[in-house]
Amino acid sequence: MAGGTNIPSIEAVCDGVRSRQSSAVELVERSLARIASLEPKLNCLHETLKEHALDRAARIDAAIARGEHVGSLAGVPIVVKDNIATSYGTTTCGSRILENFRSPYDATAIERLEREGAIVVGKANCDEFAMGSSTENSAWGPTRNPWDTSRVPGGSSGGSAAAVAAGYAPAALGSDTGGSIRQPAAHCGVVGVKPSYGRVSRYGLVAFGSSLDQIGPFAHSVRDAALVLQAIAGFDPRDSTTAEIDVPDYLAEIDRPVEGLRIGLPRRFTSPDNDPAVNKAVLDAADEYARLGATIVEDIDLPLTDHGISTYYVIAPAEASSNLARFDGIRYGHRAELAPDEDLFDLYARSRAEGFGPEVQRRIMLGTYVLSSGYYDAYYKRALQVRRLIKQEFDAAFAKCHAILGPTAPTPAFPLGGKADPLSMYLCDVYTVNANIAGICALSLPGGFAEVEDQLLPIGIQLQCRAFDEPTLFRVARMFEAAHLQDRLACPVA
Amino acid sequence: MPEPLSTAQVEHVAKLARLRLAAEQVERYRGQLSSILDHIAALGALDLDDIEPLAHPHDMTNRLGDDIPTPPMPLEALLRNAPAVEGPFLAVPKVLDEGGG
């Protein structure tokens, strides 16, 4: 069922529900059956919301029977990363510190999905507080890659990406702070979009790096991803960092090729440090765009690319150390049992040490250090200065091209346990962090396969466009997809 | 290239971060954080004179909302996640000494 070109579009699925050829209940039942058969193997979800989903599906079918208006996602099952608040089920962020946390409210993105008739069927496993690139940092165990269950799905939104690849749902939500949507999309052979900073409300997204975080969609096709982003994008008075810029109709011209398209291909993006299959996929994609009439612009350079990781691993932990200070064992979350001689400091320090896993502790420590007296200028201020230079580099590049093409990740999915050293894990994000640093939009789409130990592993190619230029991003991606959708293979799981 | 972190520095940071770490955790994080800081030290080689820091990708400034009261979330929904409650209050260990602080 999953993978290949035989997957119906979300629009077709909704048309079926609206015209009562199928029903929302049928779609949800099919989704729940798929989840039940594959969860023991994959662990994509922390929680399956069976009752909630069936109840909502019945209501949507009843509304259709009464002739009421249902939205653009009527009856569509959706998987949601477990760091996005839902007023039903739990919202744990993959962390023991939030093991039983039940959000009192829905994230704006959830409200908007539901307004369009979507049905949340499960909360997806993720790296704890979205910190990681493999989904191995979850307190609830790793998610496995549906293409090869000995490998990671990428992260931190690995559960969302793997769930779409494995056919749990036609779409999922993830969050992307430094590549956490695009890299797992690449490793699982699906489309993943990091919208421009400020495009989607962060209200109800548990904060990691507040100047970097964005919620975005996973789907099988660019058009499906655009449809989901359409539903969730836009100004929200509850998130003062959302942009007061109208959301264009992403689907209106999505199938119209960009005339006089100029694709930027920085030479350093096909570095010899990348897996050869990754470089081949990127160069093949450039050839395809050239065949489609695009000019390939090699005369652009993003020399600070390699400094992106250093910049990111100052800014993101700094913001995380501040954001995660709220987990103190007082108002919600895990609280340590105190001995009679222990005081409030012990309550904070022991609750946090017991509740947070090692990667989260490491990033809190790193962030606390770079913000501490005597180091702030050397690390945090410097990183913010480099951030401005990185943004300026993108501005200069986009003066010469519509979109920048490159790899999403330097390698295909790696084996579980394959990156035990934290720094080697951080380097997975070398091609993705800069879009977050600069606030531009980017997506990963399937661009080919690598043959590794007789297994075919998906490879993602990344496109990056100016901030708030999602219409161009989708059109450019759609041009490649239209020419290559038939090359997609069915995901081999089950 | 920065000096590796000392054990005392890591213990100090753990205290600032409100994390009660065992000695072997301190030692493990000391090595890992030192190697990450070593990588980050590459930023030190860049010429950043006269470059304004950029804290936010779109150079936004604070936006003030209209002062319109809205109904609060129900107390019950907020307290259901609390580790300890007494009536409508969060229960915490005693903070002040006898007779106030």
Side-chain angles (χ1 to χ4, degrees):
Chain A
M1 152 174 182
T5 54
N6 56 344
I7 301 170
S9 70
I10 291 179
E11 288 157 294
V13 168
C14 286
D15 283 346
V17 173
R18 273 192 292 261
S19 64
R20 301 176 70 184
Q21 283 166 352
S22 68
S23 71
V25 167
E26 261 174 63
L27 292 181
V28 166
E29 282 175 345
R30 212 179 306 155
S31 169
L32 292 172
R34 186 84 179 160
I35 291 168
S37 76
L38 289 177
E39 259 312 83
K41 211 179 207 174
L42 298 177
N43 193 34
C44 297
L45 304 181
H46 176 53
E47 188 175 14
T48 305
L49 298 161
K50 185 178 171 184
E51 273 175 42
H52 161 83
L54 286 170
D55 180 57
R56 255 190 73 75
R59 285 161 194 263
I60 287 167
D61 287 334
I64 291 169
R66 290 193 299 268
E68 289 173 18
H69 169 80
V70 286
S72 63
L73 298 171
V76 175
I78 301 245
V79 162
V80 172
K81 188 176 183 179
D82 202 22
N83 64 347
I84 300 173
T86 48
S87 59
Y88 39 86
T90 55
T91 300
T92 73
C93 301
S95 183
R96 291 212 176 278
I97 211 160
L98 286 175
E99 181 158 9
N100 299 309
F101 183 76
R102 293 165 59 78
S103 169
Y105 63 92
D106 286 311
T108 297
I110 298 295
E111 274 184 12
R112 291 184 177 181
L113 280 182
E114 293 188 340
R115 198 172 60 198
E116 294 298 332
I119 300 169
V120 180
V121 292
K123 298 297 288 283
N125 197 23
C126 58
D127 285 304
E128 186 176 2
F129 287 103
M131 296 177 189
S133 308
S134 69
T135 316
E136 292 168 297
N137 296 333
S138 167
W140 323 126
T143 295
R144 289 167 184 272
N145 190 315
W147 290 84
D148 175 351
T149 53
S150 73
R151 290 173 189 271
V152 303
S156 66
S157 313
S160 302
V164 172
Y168 286 17
L173 291 187
S175 66
D176 190 313
T177 305
S180 279
I181 290 173
R182 290 161 287 159
Q183 185 253 19
H187 287 347
C188 292
V190 297
V191 175
V193 183
K194 186 209 88 74
S196 309
Y197 185 81
R199 185 73 292 180
V200 178
S201 171
R202 295 182 295 108
Y203 182 76
L205 171 66
V206 178
F208 161 14
S210 300
S211 78
L212 305 158
D213 298 336
Q214 273 291 286
I215 293 173
F218 291 91
H220 284 291
S221 71
V222 174
R223 195 177 172 94
D224 283 357
L227 182 68
V228 176
L229 182 61
Q230 191 83 54
I232 61 175
F235 174 70
D236 177 10
R238 293 179 296 188
D239 173 5
S240 63
T241 63
T242 48
E244 290 184 81
I245 299 173
D246 287 342
V247 180
D249 183 342
Y250 295 136
L251 299 184
E253 303 207 311
I254 196 166
D255 291 318
R256 193 165 70 81
V258 178
E259 278 169 48
L261 174 62
R262 298 173 69 81
I263 294 278
L265 180 62
R267 277 176 204 282
R268 69 179 65 243
F269 278 14
T270 46
S271 152
D273 294 338
N274 296 345
D275 188 285
V278 168
N279 287 341
K280 181 174 182 305
V282 172
L283 295 172
D284 285 353
D287 287 347
E288 181 62 45
Y289 279 112
R291 267 196 296 280
L292 293 168
T295 305
I296 305 301
V297 184
E298 294 192 35
D299 167 34
I300 65 163
D301 196 11
L302 296 164
L304 289 170
T305 297
D306 295 339
H307 287 290
I309 288 287
S310 299
T311 306
Y312 178 83
Y313 279 96
V314 174
I315 295 172
E319 295 186 5
S321 70
S322 170
N323 274 324
L324 271 58
R326 73 192 61 178
F327 298 101
D328 55 8
I330 300 292
R331 291 152 299 161
Y332 45 79
H334 173 75
R335 180 186 288 189
E337 296 284 334
L338 288 193
D341 61 333
E342 289 184 304
D343 63 12
L344 194 61
F345 182 95
D346 298 299
L347 185 137
Y348 297 146
R350 283 194 33 219
S351 298
R352 289 162 61 80
E354 291 169 11
F356 290 136
E359 181 59 30
V360 173
Q361 293 190 8
R362 215 158 18 239
R363 295 208 199 182
I364 290 173
M365 300 271 289
L366 184 57
T368 304
Y369 178 75
V370 300
L371 291 175
S372 65
S373 169
Y375 300 97
Y376 180 93
D377 280 1
Y379 288 104
Y380 187 63
K381 185 181 166 202
R382 268 195 103 69
L384 294 186
Q385 289 173 304
V386 180
R387 182 177 203 172
R388 183 173 298 278
L389 293 180
I390 289 172
K391 185 171 153 70
Q392 288 170 353
E393 274 189 8
F394 274 116
D395 289 344
F398 287 128
K400 295 182 182 173
C401 63
H402 295 92
I404 298 169
L405 170 68
T408 306
T411 67
F414 47 90
L416 270 94
K419 297 203 188 279
D421 167 50
L423 184 59
S424 72
M425 188 75 87
Y426 297 175
L427 294 171
C428 297
D429 302 337
V430 61
Y431 294 114
T432 47
V433 290
N434 290 306
N436 303 79
I437 290 169
I440 61 174
C441 58
L443 62 72
S444 179
L445 77 163
F449 291 90
E451 196 176 336
V452 184
E453 293 161 8
D454 295 333
Q455 293 273 10
L456 284 177
L457 300 176
I459 292 185
I461 53 171
Q462 181 176 219
L463 291 163
Q464 304 181 84
C465 284
R466 284 184 189 90
F468 303 105
D469 198 9
E470 279 85 359
T472 302
L473 183 70
F474 288 135
R475 283 172 68 192
V476 173
R478 181 69 197 129
M479 287 168 72
F480 178 84
E481 183 185 68
H484 279 273
L485 204 58
Q486 73 281 5
D487 300 344
R488 300 254 188 106
L489 298 173
C491 177
V493 68
Chain B
M1 194 159 287
E3 291 280 307
L5 295 174
S6 68
T7 301
Q9 276 178 305
V10 177
E11 285 170 346
H12 176 63
V13 171
K15 187 177 168 197
L16 293 176
R18 301 295 186 268
L19 288 168
R20 174 69 42 81
L21 302 180
E24 67 269 18
Q25 286 175 302
V26 169
E27 197 48 33
R28 186 160 4 107
Y29 290 149
R30 189 175 76 81
Q32 291 168 337
L33 294 173
S34 294
S35 96
I36 295 161
L37 289 169
D38 190 46
H39 187 87
I40 290 170
L43 296 181
L46 297 171
D47 177 9
L48 300 173
D49 289 352
D50 305 324
I51 308 293
E52 275 294 304
L54 179 69
H56 188 285
H58 305 320
D59 258 342
M60 291 174 96
T61 50
N62 287 339
R63 182 159 59 203
L64 299 177
D66 296 328
D67 190 10
I68 302 167
T70 51
M73 288 179 199
L75 197 59
E76 181 201 76
L78 293 167
L79 286 180
R80 75 181 173 200
N81 290 300
V85 292
E86 281 181 31
F89 303 108
L90 295 167
V92 295
K94 196 168 69 171
V95 179
L96 304 175
D97 289 334
E98 296 297 334

